Amino acid sequence: MHTATTSSSQRAPRVAALTVFVGYLLYLSERTIVVSKGNISSLALIGTTFANRKQLPAYLYQHRGNGYDGQFFLRLALDPFDLGMHAFGITLNGAFRDQRIVYPFLAWVVALGHDHWVPYTLVIVNLAAVTVIAAMGAKLARDTEHPAMVGILLGGYFGYTMSTGRDLAEPTAAALLLIGMYLFEQDHAVLAGLVFALSALALETELIVPIALGLIWIIALIRRRRSVMNPLVFIIPGLGAIALQLLLREVLGRVALSGDLRGNLGIPIYSVFVGIIHHLNTLDVTNLIWLGQLVIIVLFVVLAGANLTNRHVPLYLKVAWILMLALTISLSGEVWNNSSYFRATDILWLTSVLIWSRSEPNRWWPAYLGYLATLVSVTPLLVFF
């Protein structure tokens, strides 16, 4: 019986990765062929507000209006070494865009320097990322009853359907974060620190986990308890983040992080209620999907909160969850008033699911609700941009 369980646990990362890979491959193929009418560059949603058609490369499709965040990642992927605000006909809408460099850099590397390949490699990198999320999620849930289900639940998060379908950085950042968490749990502190640094240079919110590790180490120090944790696991990502901010300060003449904080942080809890009221005002399909997604996230947050004292859940995961929950309820109306599939709260999702799964649940129906939420959420993205 033990052998069968072990074999199942070993197969789980492959099963989860293959399931998520095939699902996203079908989704992204349909979105490219049908929604984008064969022009994969339209997924980045380059708008007329931040892009000049006369200066844009001819192979890039341009939409009317503001466009979406993917246009800025595409701009950086065309040349990640050019950190200026204007290039390739696209203007960055803030210096904070440059601090999210890892995803576009990886797309540039995969493109082998061929500019016209970048719209494809942005999609390829994210497809690889959600596959890694599923595999690493199953590895981190190795001692649970159904690790493959956990991997699929993490990789299949509805927020990532928005991110992969619009060339955004959340999947890449999350994949690196989970790899770092796995390395940390396997006692590879320096490697984990390096990967955490990369995840933070993909999206700054990924610093939540290194910060949690740092807090645990500091509290142990204050209490004069010997910590077995290598401090490099949080020092390396911290130094990496500071180094990038100093570089951008030198290049751009401004602090990149400041604009990000002003735009995304608001009064704790207040913006949450304003957002809920905003979406309740008009109960159309978009708002109903948003409310459904919120219910699913709250469900897993409650499940995680109910298991914070469980001895099977690592302390760093609990602290990271608490920090991310505090950050989530402090996000501005920019996040809560818009239907962005809660992509900004993906770390809360990841940590909530992992805490719930590692607390040895005896009922798995919440996972099926998560799958259903993703299937419902993805439907509009198969039709509209």
Side-chain angles (χ1 to χ4, degrees):
M1 183 68 176
H2 176 73
T3 303
T5 302
T6 302
S7 177
S8 175
S9 180
Q10 290 173 343
R11 290 197 307 269
R14 297 193 295 271
V15 172
L18 180 60
T19 302
V20 168
F21 174 81
V22 171
Y24 275 93
L25 181 63
L26 293 173
Y27 159 62
L28 292 170
S29 296
E30 191 279 345
R31 191 161 165 79
T32 299
I33 296 169
V34 179
V35 181
S36 300
K37 298 179 181 178
N39 190 336
I40 199 168
S41 71
S42 69
L43 295 182
L45 280 171
I46 301 171
T48 52
T49 303
F50 297 102
N52 186 328
R53 177 70 266 177
K54 294 180 180 178
Q55 298 174 348
L56 274 177
Y59 55 85
L60 295 180
Y61 185 88
Q62 187 175 28
H63 299 262
R64 293 181 182 275
N66 292 332
Y68 207 67
D69 294 358
Q71 63 189 320
F72 306 119
F73 289 112
L74 185 147
R75 184 337 240 139
L76 290 169
L78 291 172
D79 185 358
F81 299 100
D82 183 350
L83 298 177
M85 299 297 289
H86 313 278
F88 299 97
I90 299 174
T91 300
L92 301 181
N93 67 339
F96 66 91
R97 296 293 177 185
D98 284 316
Q99 71 190 13
R100 302 169 180 177
I101 194 62
V102 167
Y103 169 49
F105 178 77
L106 290 175
W108 175 81
V109 169
V110 176
L112 301 175
H114 298 284
D115 292 353
H116 59 283
W117 289 4
V118 165
Y120 295 91
T121 59
L122 285 167
V123 175
I124 291 170
V125 169
N126 265 343
L127 179 59
V130 290
T131 305
V132 169
I133 291 170
M136 298 313 301
K139 282 181 176 291
L140 286 166
R142 59 192 176 277
D143 295 327
T144 65
E145 187 176 359
H146 302 294
M149 287 181 65
V150 177
I152 295 168
L153 192 59
L154 295 182
Y157 176 49
F158 43 75
Y160 296 146
T161 64
M162 170 73 76
S163 299
T164 56
R166 292 190 176 182
D167 293 347
L168 307 175
E170 287 83 11
T172 298
L176 291 167
L177 183 69
L178 291 179
I179 292 172
M181 290 165 63
Y182 179 75
L183 289 171
F184 170 72
E185 293 193 13
Q186 297 298 309
D187 295 323
H188 300 298
V190 175
L191 277 176
L194 291 170
V195 177
F196 281 145
L198 289 176
S199 70
L201 299 183
L203 273 179
E204 56 279 4
T205 49
E206 261 58 14
L207 280 170
I208 285 286
V209 173
I211 289 172
L213 293 169
L215 286 175
I216 293 169
W217 187 86
I218 291 170
I219 291 172
L221 187 66
I222 292 173
R223 292 183 174 181
R224 297 182 179 180
R225 295 178 180 176
R226 184 177 178 274
S227 175
V228 297
M229 185 193 306
N230 186 336
L232 288 176
V233 74
F234 59 84
I235 290 175
I236 292 173
L239 291 176
I242 292 171
L244 180 62
Q245 292 299 317
L246 292 175
L247 172 63
L248 294 178
R249 178 70 173 82
E250 185 68 25
V251 173
L252 303 173
R254 68 191 79 176
V255 179
L257 186 61
S258 62
D260 186 26
L261 294 175
R262 286 195 304 270
N264 290 319
L265 290 182
I267 302 173
I269 301 178
Y270 173 77
S271 294
V272 179
F273 285 110
V274 171
I276 293 172
I277 292 170
H278 170 77
H279 289 282
L280 283 171
N281 278 338
T282 306
L283 293 179
D284 56 15
V285 173
T286 298
N287 288 334
L288 286 172
I289 288 177
W290 186 92
L291 291 166
Q293 291 168 345
L294 178 61
V295 168
I296 295 299
I297 290 174
V298 169
L299 168 64
F300 278 94
V301 166
V302 170
L303 290 171
N307 288 286
L308 279 186
T309 59
N310 192 293
R311 62 183 179 85
H312 296 291
V313 181
L315 178 60
Y316 85 94
L317 194 56
K318 299 174 184 179
V319 176
W321 178 85
I322 292 170
L323 293 176
M324 191 60 206
L325 180 60
L327 177 61
T328 297
I329 62 175
S330 301
L331 292 173
S332 69
E334 181 70 21
V335 174
W336 288 100
N337 293 341
N338 296 311
S339 181
S340 57
Y341 281 38
F342 293 95
R343 61 185 181 86
T345 62
D346 68 313
I347 300 177
L348 182 61
W349 174 261
L350 297 178
T351 53
S352 294
V353 172
L354 285 173
I355 289 173
W356 165 70
S357 66
R358 294 179 73 162
S359 64
E360 299 184 341
N362 52 22
R363 290 183 176 85
W364 287 83
W365 57 265
Y368 295 108
L369 288 181
Y371 300 153
L372 179 62
T374 295
L375 291 175
V376 173
S377 299
V378 81
T379 303
L381 296 175
L382 294 174
V383 182
F384 306 108
F385 278 108

